[in-house]
Amino acid sequence: MSTAVKVSAFAAALVAVFAVAWAIGSAVGPLDEAPAPAPAPTSEHHGHHPGGTP
């Protein structure tokens, strides 16, 4: 393999890594946003009993 081929392969791999990182970052979204507020609790009881089986 010539040096030009090795450098080109390295550059292509580097571009691919950054493209994948960018795609994942776009899918996840920004991390500096405040989380959405939790919904107000309801008065419904869902049947959880301490010591019982689910």
Side-chain angles (χ1 to χ4, degrees):
M1 262 186 160
S2 69
T3 303
V5 172
K6 290 179 185 179
V7 170
S8 297
F10 177 76
L14 195 61
V15 167
V17 167
F18 278 105
V20 169
W22 176 79
I24 291 171
S26 294
V28 170
L31 297 178
D32 59 344
E33 289 183 1
T42 61
S43 61
E44 295 179 26
H45 184 72
H46 294 286
H48 176 72
H49 301 284
T53 58

